[in-house]
Every structure is written in C-alpha cells, then in structure tokens.
C-alpha cells in the first residue's frame, strides 16, 4: 500500500468482515485467502489502463487535480499529464490516436449518462408547490402527448378591508344620518396562469383588476393543437380571432368563443362561434393628409372664448362680412391689452383694474339715464362715464372703489362694473384678435367666475380712437386702470354684455385644416322621416341649401361671387385653418337670421332655436326638442406620415393597411402604435406620390351595450401551392338590453357570404424579357398574382321577444323633472295675481301687501366646527 504512508487508520467494509490497515513503510501483500473483495485502487494515472479504469466506489478526485492532454505533432500522439496547479504529480505517458479517440468517446458517454440521471432524478422530485404543479396522466399520454400536466401560476393578490365610521354634527341632518358606518373593501389582483397537458393542450389566463379597460382585464385561452396528419388541426376556446385574407370580408380578431381548424386532405375548414367584442372601422389618408369627418351639434358653440370688443363691432359684423372676401368695416385695430382674473399666482404683469360695462358704448348703454351718449364710435368719450370717473381718486383706489361706485355713482358691483385686484395681463400668445371685425379669441376658455376686460386702440377714417386705459399710459402703478368689461362674474342674458360673447364659432376638433377636399354642410332632422336633410321644405327658403341660407356659400373656388354649393373657405374670416374654427358670417344663424330668411313666423317657430342665443347653455341643454340642426363635413388635417386611427388600445393584429389596393407589410412599410392608436408610414414614396392609403382596424368600443354574436366558417381548397379557391359565410346578430329599441339603434342581423380565388406563378421568361429593356437589370423570377373575390351582404333585423318590430322615438319615461323645494335657488318671487287690486300698482310697496311671508336660509357648516377659526366665539 504505497500511497497510504500518511494515513494512520483506513477502514474498508467487506462482505461479512472488516479489515484494518496500519501504516508501514513496506509494501504488504495478501494471500489468496486474505485478498479483499474490493481492493483500494491506485489513484496515480501512469498508463492508458489507469486513465480509462472504472472506479465506481472510489472517492472523487480532488478539484485541484487536473488531467491535461497535449498533442505532439512530431509523433502524432497525445501526451497525458496529471497536475496539481503547475506541478506534475505523476509521470506523463503517451496515447496513440486510436487510444485517445476511445478515451474521449468513453468520457462523453459517461457525461451523457450522468446528465440523463440528473434529469431523471429531478423529474421525480417529490417537493410539491401550488405555483408549479406537475404530474403524469398515465395512458392519456397517447391522446395529449408526453409531458403530463404542468401548471405554473404567477402574480399577486392584495385585499384591503376596513370599517369607516363618520359622525357629523349637522342639525340639517337627521339623527340617523349623523352617524354612519360603512365597510371599506378593495382588491388588487394580478394573476397569470400557464398550463399544459402533454404537448397538444395549452391554457393561458391573465387577470388584472388594475386594467384601464374591461376588455384588457381578463384574457382567457384554451387551445388544442393536433399533429400534422390529424383532422383536428387546432381547437381554441376563450379569446380567439377569425382573420380572413380578403379585401371584402375582413373577419374579426377580438372574439370570445370557440374556434376550430380542420383539414380534409386539401380542404381546410375554419369555423367560429363567438361573441364579438369590437367594431370595424376604416380610416383613409392621401398624400399624408388624413381625411376626417366631423359632426357638431349647434348647441356646442365655443363658450367664453370669443368676444366682440364693443357693441359697435357686433352691430356691424354682418354688414362687414356681407361682401366677402372684401371686408367693408373701415376699421383697423392697432393694439389690444387683455386682462383676466389672476388665478395663477403670477404677479409680474399684474395691475389693479376696474372694468365698466358701459365704457366706450355710444349706442347701447345700460345706465342711459346716468351716462349721456356723445357718439356712435367706441371711444372713451362715447358717453359721459369716463369723464365722470377719470379724475376721481377714490375710484382708482382699489380699496375704496366699491364704496364710491355704489354710494355715489349708484353702480352695482358684478353687474355694472367689476373690481379686480392684481389682475393678470395676457401674453399675446394667449389670444388673437381680428383687426377688421373687432373681436378677440382666447386660447383657453374662461371659467364662469372669471372676469375679462380689455383696452384697445383702432383707426377709423384716418383718426385714432382708444377705449380703456393701457398699462403704458401715464397712470400711477398703484392706481387702478379703467377698462372695458367684456365678461363679468355673473353672466345673465338680460344684460347687454351677454351679446358681446360670440355664439357663432364652432371647433372642428383638429388644427392645420387644409382647403383641399374641405366639405361642410348644415343639415336639419326631418321629424316625419327621421333623416337629416340639407334644406328646409317650407318658407321663402324652400329647397334652398342651408349652407347658402347662412351666407356660407357666396363664392366659388376662385373667390368670385358665384355660389357653387361648397363652403366659402376664406381664411381669417369664415375659418381659421390653423386652429380649426368655423365662423358664421351672421350673428345668430339658427335664431333671428333663420327666422328672417324663412319670412313666416308661424313656419319659423318650428325651426328656429332662439333660446340658443338668449339663454345660457344650461337652459339650452334642456331643450333637446329644438336642437335639430347639425354641422357635418370632412376635412384634411396636417400632412404627415402619421395617421390617427381615432381609437385607443387597438386590438393587436387587426390593423390592415392598403395603398392603391396593395396590402402593405407591418414593420416594413408601416408601424402601429396599438396603445395610442396611430399608424406611421415608413415608405416616403407613398406619401410623395399621393397614393390613397386605407387603414382598416377593429376598435374595442368602451361602451358597447349590445351583445353581438358572430358565427361563421371559411373553406379553402388548395389544388396546389399556386392555385386555391375559397368560400366564406358569416352571420352577425345583436341583442339589445331592453325590448324598447330607440330609433337608430335597432339590433341588426346581417349575413355576408363570398367566394375567392387566388392564382400565382413564377416566370423566369418574363424576367428575361424585361431585363432586355434599357436601364433595367433583373435576375430574380417574376411573380404573377391574380386574386378575385365576390361578396354579398344580406341585411336584416333581429326579432325581439315582445316587440313586433317597432322603434321608439320617445317613451317619455324621463319627462318628469323633480324640484327640491328646500333648495333656495329654485325659488323665485312670484308676481301678484291679477285678481288683487294691488297688482296694477307700479313702483309701490303696496304691490306685495297680500303676499305670504317667505324666508329661506342655509346654515354654514363652519358654525358647527369648533376647530375652525371662522366659527363665532359664542
């Protein structure tokens, strides 16, 4: 035992006996009777036999012992060295090429079996986990394939619950309502499940309660994939898609149901039974300019954004616009300063202001008994208001202005004037003004409680006039500026200032509108037919286009006086293309102007909407029966490579882009942002050539109230790889939520069928012929493709139980309006009935002597909060 000199005791287990070996300097030998059954092998590698010897019971060689192989090109043999670090621990020896080949083969086989044993050992791991479940299915492997059942779960679940107790000491509430106890419960689940049964069945589930949209919250799919020679090629359930290669029948990619793909030799069959969760739409663009449609109801004019600078400009607006494109106002506004209530906290351009309603008015003066008119043109001296207050220091003192104006001048704050401390002067980029027509347009609409005041200077007839005071005038910075009031904090249609707000401006919903292909129509809903017509059938304007009635069609495309049935695109006057605003050349197009055009009050009462101009939009919105006009049309927005789809979270794979009938390739010719709903064209040649680009997609509508059922099948027979024919039949039906169907929302039941054929062929002969043409160098085979498709849509309506096919215009179920008599703002002081004698009195306190005494009030909640600094001490 030469290599056991430094070992004191070594124990070996034998069959039926134990042998002890003691250290000795001499080599020991055993007799035939004493030789152990499993002798300890010599770890020294001195020859080929030691190298390939199997020692299954020996301890592993230490990690620092390495066996290196060197090739000797002189002898063509391999030198084997055993080292510890850089020191050789045994004599090197040589192997012939045959011996080295056998050695490497044996080593690779041992490593392979060792790897197989490790995988087998891991597969029989008995550790169980709920997030990673694996088990065998026995004989069912013959159906679903090998692999057993595998189920992996990832995600998190968070549940928050509590109790919310409120106690409110409000005497206006009952004792029961002052103490409330409610449960506060919230859940946050993000779960992902992936399952397999063999190698044919797959199961995927994604559930996220934090999703913004319901159709993104839950994704479920169960699929079975058959082998290449099986009849059932694929079977899916859950979120499926039914794409069809064709231009007439598109199919759908957002479905929830069952889908199967079968094959019978050369015949492939695809069938689906599902609920549709999207609607198809098409967006068009040409030369990078997207053609978009708009529809605006007439009660959606831009409120609190556009204002006349005075009643003079309002009274002359229609006269100035009557001879477009020539403006006959004779006015040129030189400069304007605009001031608003300071809600931003910036005081760099702030001044104290006092704005007056009657300032600069020579004709329409509210306090005409106090201020005498001195002219028609708007100027500070148009009436005696400015001359009366200009030198009054107490009015310029912002702290004493209210007292002086109310006690001495008898003006009412919030009506006749507005006092604003540290008002903000708008930057010129925050507004624009029309220098000839005399109105301003704000970039942002004002809130109901904000004040708008201006000072402006203009030239008329070679003379310069000014209304209000500019910040550059010689006025002490601590004194208030006197301005022209355009909007006060309490807007009332009964005050003259109400008419200064323009109510004939509409926003198209886009910017940089192009005159090319611009189309605008004014339509009226006919009550007898329920359809929209662009003319009226009564009065002096019978069968006359409404766009012409509104003076929006006087010119042709060359700006000459010749109506052509199209909108007069006059930049800066009838339209502002940069901001996408439409300006009617008349003040009240659907009110007094329409009544005058009809010429018969009895007929006009059926059409005009005068409340649109003499009432607030809150009142207007309650008069839906009079809101029968719409502004409709099409326009092209800014030319760019980006096409807006007007949809968000577009279903992936549903976008198909065609240019001139050719289907483009995604990520090559275009890219799609499915989240924001945009398509970017990468091929600049398509934009430069002006080729029409059509984008079809499926929009998963957010408020889809009707349940849509889609059933269909597609058959395709391939004669060979170049010739195929197909047929498609699809049926879509809707089921409404209620049996009372509103007009225009009738549930459909449509069937579409079609056949298609495709032939393609590669021709090297055609390539060779074209290659002979000059300037061409062709080598690849030419492709000849022929596609033919025919389809027919069979429309219909779904039959509803307990409904014989009627549509409801109005069922008057919401015609009742409830009024809370405890709410003081609903109360109005009634007039004295005519049966009482005092009803004939005017400006006499006895007029209300028989009136019942009413009083109403509300108690501020701060009175009941003892910790509030505003609560009275008592």
């Amino acid at each position: 035992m030469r290599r056991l000199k430094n070992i004191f005791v070594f124990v070996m287990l034998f069959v039926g006996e134990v042998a002890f070996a003691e250290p000795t300097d001499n080599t020991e030998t055993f007799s035939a009777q004493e030789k152990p059954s499993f002798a300890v092998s010599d770890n020294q590698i001195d020859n080929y036999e030691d190298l390939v010897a199997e020692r299954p019971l020996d301890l592993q060689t230490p990690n620092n012992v390495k066996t290196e192989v060197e090739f000797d090109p002189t002898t063509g043999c391999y030198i084997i060295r055993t080292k510890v670090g850089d020191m050789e621990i045994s004599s090197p020896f040589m192997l012939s090429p045959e011996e080295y080949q056998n050695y490497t083969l044996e080593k690779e086989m041992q490593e392979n079996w060792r790897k197989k044993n490790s995988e087998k050992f891991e597969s029989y791991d008995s550790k169980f986990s709920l997030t990673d479940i694996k088990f065998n299915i026995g004989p069912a492997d013959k159906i679903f394939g090998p692999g057993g059942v595998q189920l992996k779960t990832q995600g998190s679940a968070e549940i928050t619950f509590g109790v919310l107790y409120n106690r409110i000491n409000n005497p206006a509430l009952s004792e029961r309502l002052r103490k409330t106890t409610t449960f506060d419960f919230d859940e946050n689940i993000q779960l992902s499940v992936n399952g397999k049964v063999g190698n044919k069945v797959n199961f995927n589930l994604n559930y996220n309660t934090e999703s913004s949209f319901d159709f993104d919250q839950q994704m479920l799919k169960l699929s079975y994939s058959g082998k290449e020679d099986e009849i059932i090629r694929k079977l899916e359930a859950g979120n499926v898609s039914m794409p069809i290669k064709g231009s007439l029948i598109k199919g759908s990619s957002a479905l929830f149901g069952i889908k199967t793909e079968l094959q019978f030799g050369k015949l492939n069959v695809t069938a689906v039974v599902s609920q549709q969760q999207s609607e198809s739409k098409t967006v068009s663009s040409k030369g990078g300019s997207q053609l978009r449609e708009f529809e605006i109801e007439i009660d959606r004019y831009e409120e609190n954004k556009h204002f006349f600078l005075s009643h003079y400009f309002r009274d002359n607006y229609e006269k100035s616009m009557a001879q477009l494109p020539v403006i006959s106002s004779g006015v040129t506004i030189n400069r304007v300063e605009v001031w608003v209530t300071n809600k931003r906290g910036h005081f760099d351009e702030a001044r104290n202001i006092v704005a007056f309603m009657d300032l600069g008015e020579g004709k329409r003066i509210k306090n005409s008994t106090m201020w005498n008119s001195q002219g028609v043109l708007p100027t500070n001296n148009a009436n005696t208001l400015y001359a009366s207050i200009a030198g009054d220091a107490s009015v310029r003192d912002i702290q004493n202005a209210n007292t002086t104006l109310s006690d001495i001048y008898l003006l009412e704050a919030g009506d006749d004037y507005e006092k604003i401390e540290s008002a903000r002067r708008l930057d010129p980029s925050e507004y624009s003004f029309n220098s000839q027509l005399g109105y301003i347009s704000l970039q942002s609409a004002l809130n109901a409680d904000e004040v708008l005041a201006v000072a402006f200077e203009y030239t008329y007839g070679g003379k310069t006039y000014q209304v209000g005071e500019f910040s550059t005038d010689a006025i002490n910075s601590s004194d208030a500026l006197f301005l022209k009031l355009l909007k006060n904090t309490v807007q009332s249609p009964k005050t003259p200032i109400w008419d200064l707000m323009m109510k004939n401006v509409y926003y198209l919903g886009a910017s940089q509108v192009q005159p090319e292909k611009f189309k605008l129509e004014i339509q009226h809903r006919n009550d007898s037919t329920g359809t929209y017509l662009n003319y009226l059938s009564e009065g002096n304007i019978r069968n006359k286009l409404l766009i012409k009635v509104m003076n929006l069609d006087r010119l042709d495309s060359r700006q000459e006086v010749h109506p052509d049935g199209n909108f007069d695109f006059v930049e800066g006057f009838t339209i502002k293309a940069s901001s996408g605003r439409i300006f009617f050349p008349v003040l009240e197009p659907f009110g007094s102007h329409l009544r005058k055009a009809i010429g018969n009050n009895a007929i006009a009462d059926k059409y005009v909407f005068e409340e649109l101009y003499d009432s607030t939009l809150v009142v207007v919105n309650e008069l839906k029966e009079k809101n029968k006009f719409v502004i409709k049309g099409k326009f092209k927005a800014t030319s760019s490579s980006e096409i807006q789809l007007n949809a968000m979270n577009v279903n992936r794979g549903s976008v198909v882009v065609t240019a001139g009938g050719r289907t483009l390739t995604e990520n090559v010719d275009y890219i799609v942002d499915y989240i924001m709903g945009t398509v970017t064209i990468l091929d600049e040649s398509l934009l430069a050539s002006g080729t029409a680009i059509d984008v079809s997609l499926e929009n998963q509508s957010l408020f889809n109230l009707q349940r849509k059922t889609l059933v269909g099948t597609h058959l395709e027979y391939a004669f060979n790889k170049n010739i195929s024919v197909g047929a498609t039949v699809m049926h879509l039906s809707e089921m409404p939520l209620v049996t009372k169907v509103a007009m225009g929302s009738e549930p459909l039941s449509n069937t579409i069928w079609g056949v298609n054929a495709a032939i393609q062929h590669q021709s090297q002969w055609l390539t060779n012929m074209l290659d002979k043409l000059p300037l061409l160098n062709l080598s690849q085979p030419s492709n000849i493709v022929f596609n033919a498709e025919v389809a027919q849509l069979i429309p219909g309506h779904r039959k509803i139980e307990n409904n014989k096919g009627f549509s409801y215009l109005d069922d008057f179920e919401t015609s009742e309006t409830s009024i809370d008599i405890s709410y003081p703002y609903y109360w109005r002081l009634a007039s004295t009935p005519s049966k009482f004698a005092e009803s004939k009195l005017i400006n006499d306190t006895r007029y209300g002597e028989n009136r019942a005494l009413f009083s109403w009030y509300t108690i501020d909640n701060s009175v009941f909060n003892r910790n509030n600094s505003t609560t009275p001490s008592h």
Side-chain angles (χ1 to χ4, degrees):
M1 304 292 293
R2 295 174 302 189
R3 297 298 177 185
L4 299 180
K5 295 181 180 180
N6 298 325
I7 299 178
F8 294 98
V9 179
F10 185 86
V11 180
M12 286 294 295
L13 298 179
F14 298 97
V15 179
E17 60 181 349
V18 179
F20 296 91
E22 296 181 355
T24 178
D25 292 336
N26 300 322
T27 303
E28 294 187 34
T29 58
F30 294 90
S31 63
Q33 291 80 10
E34 296 175 337
K35 189 175 181 179
S37 302
F38 298 96
V40 177
S41 61
D42 187 359
N43 289 332
Q44 182 174 349
I45 303 176
D46 294 330
N47 48 49
Y48 176 73
E49 288 72 14
D50 293 340
L51 186 65
V52 298
E54 297 183 2
R55 305 181 181 94
L57 295 181
D58 288 353
L59 298 177
Q60 291 185 354
T61 303
N63 294 331
N64 59 342
V65 178
K66 303 295 182 182
T67 300
E68 296 181 355
V69 180
E70 296 180 3
F71 177 71
D72 187 359
T74 304
T75 61
C77 297
Y78 297 85
I79 302 175
I80 309 299
R81 302 179 186 273
T82 304
K83 294 182 179 181
V84 175
D86 295 333
M87 181 180 67
E88 294 190 13
I89 62 174
S90 63
S91 300
F93 61 94
M94 300 181 65
L95 297 180
S96 65
E98 292 77 10
E99 291 176 335
Y100 180 73
Q101 184 177 1
N102 295 334
Y103 161 69
T104 55
L105 177 61
E106 186 69 22
K107 187 176 180 180
E108 290 178 358
M109 291 181 62
Q110 291 178 359
E111 185 65 27
N112 181 63
W113 285 115
R114 187 178 295 109
K115 182 179 179 181
K116 293 290 185 180
N117 290 336
S118 300
E119 294 177 355
K120 197 68 175 178
F121 177 77
E122 292 177 358
S123 65
Y124 285 104
D125 189 1
S126 59
K127 185 170 61 176
F128 178 78
S129 175
L130 288 175
T131 61
D132 190 359
I133 302 175
K134 298 179 181 179
F135 56 88
N136 294 324
I137 55 177
D141 284 348
K142 298 179 180 179
I143 300 176
F144 300 104
V149 175
Q150 302 179 28
L151 190 64
K152 292 185 178 181
T153 305
Q154 294 179 337
S156 62
E158 179 181 347
I159 300 177
T160 304
F161 58 90
V163 178
L164 182 63
Y165 174 77
N166 288 330
R167 181 176 180 180
I168 304 175
N169 292 327
N170 187 350
L173 302 176
S174 63
E175 286 290 339
R176 178 177 297 178
L177 294 179
R178 294 182 190 181
K179 300 178 182 179
T180 58
T181 302
T182 57
F183 289 98
D184 186 10
F185 181 81
D186 188 23
E187 64 178 6
N188 181 9
I189 301 175
Q190 297 179 0
L191 181 64
S192 174
V193 179
N194 295 322
K196 290 184 177 181
V197 181
N199 58 4
K200 292 185 177 181
V201 178
N202 296 289
F203 173 76
N204 297 313
L205 171 64
N206 293 318
Y207 184 75
N208 186 4
T209 57
E210 296 295 317
S211 298
S212 302
F213 307 100
D214 290 341
F215 48 78
D216 280 341
Q217 187 178 61
Q218 182 176 346
M219 302 294 292
L220 175 66
K221 188 172 184 179
L222 176 64
S223 63
Y224 170 85
S225 300
K227 294 182 179 180
E228 184 180 359
D229 56 348
E230 293 183 0
I231 294 178
I232 302 177
R233 197 165 55 182
K234 183 174 289 188
L235 181 63
E236 298 177 343
N239 295 98
V240 298
S241 62
M242 180 71 171
I244 298 177
K245 297 179 181 179
S247 58
L248 300 180
I249 304 178
K250 297 292 185 179
S252 180
S253 59
L255 304 173
F256 188 86
I258 300 175
K259 173 190 173 183
T260 181
E261 295 182 11
L262 310 175
Q263 59 182 2
F264 303 92
K266 296 182 179 181
L267 177 63
N268 295 326
V269 180
T270 303
V272 66
V273 178
S274 63
Q275 290 185 1
Q276 189 175 17
Q277 299 175 327
S278 63
E279 59 181 357
S280 301
K281 61 182 300 185
T282 302
V283 180
S284 300
S285 174
K286 187 175 183 180
S289 297
Q290 186 174 351
L291 190 63
R292 298 173 56 183
E293 297 182 355
F294 64 89
E295 180 174 339
I296 310 171
E297 295 183 351
I298 60 173
D299 61 347
R300 289 165 52 193
Y301 64 80
E302 290 203 301
E303 185 184 20
N304 295 333
K305 288 193 67 174
H306 310 273
F307 297 87
F308 287 106
L309 296 177
S310 73
H311 287 283
Y312 171 83
F313 297 111
R314 185 184 190 276
D315 296 339
N316 290 276
Y317 177 78
E318 295 185 2
K319 179 181 177 182
S320 301
M321 294 278 280
Q323 302 299 324
L324 283 176
V326 178
I327 302 299
S328 58
S329 65
V331 174
T332 301
I333 298 177
N334 303 320
R335 57 174 177 153
V336 178
E337 276 190 358
V338 183
W339 299 82
V340 297
T341 305
N342 194 348
K343 289 191 173 183
R344 296 187 178 181
H346 301 298
F347 300 98
D348 296 337
E349 297 289 340
R351 283 288 295 268
N352 297 329
I353 66 170
V354 181
F356 298 90
M357 181 187 300
D358 290 335
L359 182 64
E361 298 295 345
K363 183 177 180 181
R364 192 171 180 184
I365 306 173
K366 180 187 178 186
N367 299 290
S368 56
T369 58
M370 184 178 302
W371 322 118
N372 297 322
S373 175
Q374 296 180 341
V376 177
L377 291 175
T379 175
N380 285 335
N381 298 321
N383 59 60
T384 57
L385 168 62
Y386 185 76
S388 301
I389 63 174
D392 195 334
S394 61
V395 180
R396 292 194 182 273
D397 185 359
I398 201 68
Q399 303 299 330
N400 300 320
N402 278 343
T403 303
T404 304
L405 291 174
S406 60
D407 295 346
I408 299 178
Y409 295 97
L410 304 179
L411 298 181
E412 184 178 351
D415 188 6
D416 298 318
Y417 73 95
E418 287 283 359
K419 180 201 74 170
I420 303 296
E421 297 186 45
S422 299
R424 183 173 68 92
R425 188 180 69 180
L426 295 184
D427 189 84
S429 62
E430 297 182 82
Y431 67 91
S432 62
F433 64 91
N434 191 302
S435 61
Q436 296 177 274
L437 298 177
Y439 65 81
I440 63 171
S441 298
L442 306 179
Q443 294 294 337
S444 301
L446 296 174
N447 295 325
D449 59 342
E450 289 187 283
V451 172
L452 174 65
V454 296
F456 61 94
E457 179 187 273
Y458 69 95
T459 302
Y460 180 79
K463 295 182 179 181
T464 302
Y465 302 91
Q466 179 175 327
V467 175
E469 298 173 344
F470 289 93
S471 58
T472 56
D473 293 346
I475 299 174
N476 194 331
S477 60
S478 61
D479 293 339
L481 296 176
F482 293 158
L483 302 174
K484 168 65 177 173
L485 181 66
L486 300 185
K487 179 188 175 300
N488 52 11
T489 54
V490 182
Q491 288 181 294
S492 173
K494 297 181 180 180
T495 60
I497 200 175
W498 171 259
D499 291 332
L500 293 182
M501 182 177 69
M502 300 177 68
K503 306 170 187 65
N504 60 346
V505 184
Y506 295 88
Y507 178 48
L508 297 179
S511 59
Q512 305 300 330
V513 178
Q514 299 181 10
E516 181 187 2
K517 296 290 183 72
F518 184 86
K519 183 71 174 178
L520 185 142
E521 284 187 343
I522 301 174
Q523 298 182 357
H524 175 265
R525 187 178 72 244
N526 191 304
D527 291 336
S528 60
T529 62
T531 58
Y532 282 92
L533 305 175
N534 58 1
Y535 61 90
L536 299 181
S537 57
E538 297 181 272
N540 297 337
I541 58 173
R542 180 181 180 182
N543 299 333
K544 187 177 181 181
L545 293 178
L546 289 173
I547 190 176
K548 189 174 181 180
V549 174
M550 303 302 174
N551 294 343
L552 288 173
D553 179 25
R554 292 182 57 255
L555 311 174
D556 56 16
S557 59
R558 294 176 295 179
Q559 302 291 300
E560 296 181 358
V561 181
H562 185 272
D564 58 355
N566 295 320
F567 174 79
D568 292 342
F569 201 103
V570 183
E571 174 60 34
F573 297 100
T574 61
I575 186 172
K576 283 188 177 180
S578 59
S579 59
R581 263 76 184 181
I582 294 292
F583 291 77
F584 278 75
V586 292
L587 293 171
E588 299 178 358
F590 303 99
S592 58
H593 176 79
L594 183 59
R595 179 179 292 276
K596 182 179 178 181
I598 293 176
N600 186 315
N601 287 333
I603 298 175
D605 289 340
K606 298 188 296 184
Y607 300 103
V608 297
F609 196 1
E610 292 176 335
E611 291 83 359
L612 186 63
Y613 308 102
D614 59 19
S615 304
T616 63
L617 287 182
V618 176
V619 177
V620 169
N621 291 333
E622 297 179 357
L623 303 174
K624 292 298 183 181
E625 69 277 4
K626 291 191 174 184
N627 190 13
K628 299 179 181 179
F629 290 91
V630 293
I631 304 171
K632 303 177 66 174
K634 300 178 180 179
F635 65 90
K636 282 186 176 182
T638 307
S639 177
S640 67
S641 60
E642 189 174 275
I643 301 176
Q644 298 289 338
L645 301 180
N646 302 323
M648 297 184 66
N649 274 35
V650 179
N651 192 38
R652 294 186 179 273
S654 67
V655 177
V656 178
V657 182
T658 58
R662 178 173 65 92
T663 303
L664 305 183
T665 304
E666 186 175 356
N667 298 325
V668 176
D669 300 317
Y670 66 93
I671 57 176
V672 184
D673 187 342
Y674 290 95
I675 302 298
M676 301 304 298
T678 59
V679 171
T680 303
I681 303 299
L682 302 178
D683 191 350
E684 295 292 340
S685 62
L686 294 175
L687 303 176
S689 63
T691 305
I693 300 175
D694 296 325
V695 182
S696 62
L697 66 143
E698 292 185 31
N699 181 22
Q700 292 178 295
S701 56
L702 302 181
F703 306 102
N704 189 9
L705 298 181
Q706 291 182 328
R707 186 178 63 188
K708 302 178 181 179
T709 302
L710 178 66
V711 179
T713 183
H714 175 71
L715 296 87
E716 184 173 357
Y717 188 87
F719 294 94
N720 50 53
K721 65 178 182 178
N722 296 324
I723 302 176
S724 64
V725 295
T728 305
V729 178
M730 302 189 75
H731 178 76
L732 176 66
S733 62
E734 295 179 340
M735 174 60 72
L737 295 179
V738 295
T739 57
K740 289 184 178 181
V741 179
M743 188 172 182
S745 301
E746 295 86 353
L748 56 86
S749 180
N750 295 345
T751 301
I752 187 171
W753 68 274
V755 294
N756 63 282
I759 301 174
Q760 62 179 1
H761 178 68
Q762 288 188 347
S763 174
Q764 185 63 40
W765 176 84
L766 181 60
T767 301
N768 297 334
M769 296 299 296
L770 294 175
D771 187 48
K772 296 180 180 180
L773 297 176
L775 304 178
L776 292 180
N777 185 13
L778 307 178
S779 59
Q780 296 297 324
S782 301
N783 288 325
I784 303 174
V785 179
F786 172 78
N787 291 318
E789 187 174 0
V790 178
Q792 180 186 15
L793 175 65
I794 305 175
H797 292 285
R798 183 185 179 95
K799 295 182 180 180
I800 308 173
E801 188 177 357
N802 300 325
N803 188 322
K804 298 181 179 180
F806 297 107
S807 297
Y808 289 79
L809 293 174
D810 196 346
D811 55 9
F812 301 99
E813 288 186 351
T814 59
S815 60
E816 180 180 345
T817 303
S818 60
I819 300 176
D820 186 4
I821 62 175
S822 65
Y823 192 59
Y825 294 99
Y826 288 143
W827 287 85
R828 295 292 183 271
L829 201 62
S831 59
T832 301
S834 59
K835 68 177 183 178
F836 294 97
E838 62 270 19
S839 64
K840 299 180 176 57
L841 300 178
I842 301 175
N843 294 330
D844 196 321
T845 56
R846 292 176 298 170
Y847 177 81
E849 63 182 5
N850 289 320
R851 189 191 307 275
L853 298 179
F854 287 98
S855 64
W856 49 79
Y857 62 92
T858 55
I859 302 176
D860 195 282
N861 286 329
S862 63
V863 176
F864 308 103
N865 189 355
R866 297 181 180 180
N867 297 325
N868 196 330
S869 60
T870 60
T871 304
S873 58
H874 59 276

